[in-house]
Amino acid sequence: GCGKSSLIKAGLVPRLSRENWLVPVFRPQNPLENLRIALESIPFEFGDHEARAEFREIWMEMIPDNLLSSSNGIVETYKQSGSQKKLIIIIDQFEELFAYQKKSNDNRENAIRFINLLIQAVQQKVYPIHVLITLRSDQLGRCSEFKGLPEIINDGLFLVPRLSREQYREAIVRPLHVQNIK
């Protein structure tokens, strides 16, 4: 590709993490399950240390129920966590969702539920929840398979421009340097 994942993982994620954002990153091969796992990374911040440890387990058991019971599942999970940090959910290789949803009717329903959760999370204005997806531009038209998704994408679209040979090299080598890999 053109370095979308590298740009996100080596550039944006470390910077936002330093600026006190919650930044779960996942791929949508199994979207609801991977979203659940990503949301479990949000720290539970209600109560004192003992209460947090006790209630975090209960809260983590509530996450799947939140995601399955309402299109507000992401918002409810964030609200229940007590976090005051901004949350940006990053879905890398978003085009994998299109392959996933074609496998069965259940997968299609799960993909629709997943998209509805994302849309509801970004449309509400009470909590600082954001969603960022990486998607190959040749797959952009497939977003119209999901009601409401093209409109949301249009509001925040950023196309990574075609890279020069040197920029490709930088997109490959720079993440290695960030991770101290030689």
Side-chain angles (χ1 to χ4, degrees), residues 36-51:
R36 178 194 61 79
I37 292 166
L39 292 177
E40 286 177 355
S41 71
I42 297 173
F44 186 80
E45 298 186 12
F46 276 124
D48 60 23
H49 181 71
E50 283 183 36

Side-chain angles (χ1 to χ4, degrees), residues 6 9-11 14 18 172-181:
S6 295
K9 291 178 182 174
R18 283 191 307 270
I172 294 167
V173 173
R174 182 86 164 184
L176 298 174
H177 290 305
V178 169
Q179 297 298 321
N180 293 320
I181 299 171

Side-chain angles (χ1 to χ4, degrees), residues 106-117:
D106 285 344
N107 284 13
R108 173 72 179 154
E109 289 174 22
N110 286 337
I112 291 169
R113 178 178 300 280
F114 175 70
I115 295 298
N116 289 337
L117 287 163

Side-chain angles (χ1 to χ4, degrees), residues 6-147:
S6 295
L7 174 68
I8 297 302
K9 291 178 182 174
L12 186 65
V13 170
R15 181 167 184 166
L16 290 176
S17 296
R18 283 191 307 270
E19 293 178 9
N20 219 18
W21 283 65
L22 301 169
V23 191
V25 180
F26 67 96
R27 291 170 60 171
Q29 304 104 327
N30 186 345
L32 292 175
E33 177 66 10
N34 292 356
L35 175 59
R36 178 194 61 79
I37 292 166
L39 292 177
E40 286 177 355
S41 71
I42 297 173
F44 186 80
E45 298 186 12
F46 276 124
D48 60 23
H49 181 71
E50 283 183 36
R52 279 196 302 270
E54 181 180 334
F55 289 110
R56 178 168 172 80
E57 281 189 43
I58 295 168
W59 172 73
M60 287 178 67
E61 291 174 9
M62 293 169 56
I63 294 173
D65 292 336
N66 288 344
L67 297 179
L68 295 175
S69 65
S70 152
S71 61
N72 270 326
I74 294 171
V75 177
E76 284 302 311
T77 298
Y78 177 83
K79 182 171 81 172
Q80 292 165 354
S81 78
S83 180
Q84 299 300 309
K85 296 179 180 180
K86 293 179 183 176
L87 170 65
I88 185 164
I89 299 168
I90 298 177
I91 304 126
D92 193 23
Q93 308 292 326
F94 191 78
E95 61 273 6
E96 291 176 0
L97 183 67
F98 304 131
Y100 167 83
Q101 60 116 12
K102 293 287 185 197
K103 292 179 182 174
S104 73
N105 284 337
D106 285 344
N107 284 13
R108 173 72 179 154
E109 289 174 22
N110 286 337
I112 291 169
R113 178 178 300 280
F114 175 70
I115 295 298
N116 289 337
L117 287 163
L118 298 178
I119 290 171
Q120 193 64 30
V122 298
Q123 284 183 333
Q124 62 80 36
K125 301 298 179 207
V126 176
Y127 299 99
I129 301 172
H130 308 272
V131 174
L132 183 147
I133 66 171
T134 67
L135 174 69
R136 291 188 354 233
S137 60
D138 65 326
Q139 298 291 306
L140 192 56
R142 297 207 51 200
C143 292
S144 66
E145 296 175 19
F146 296 96
K147 184 179 180 183

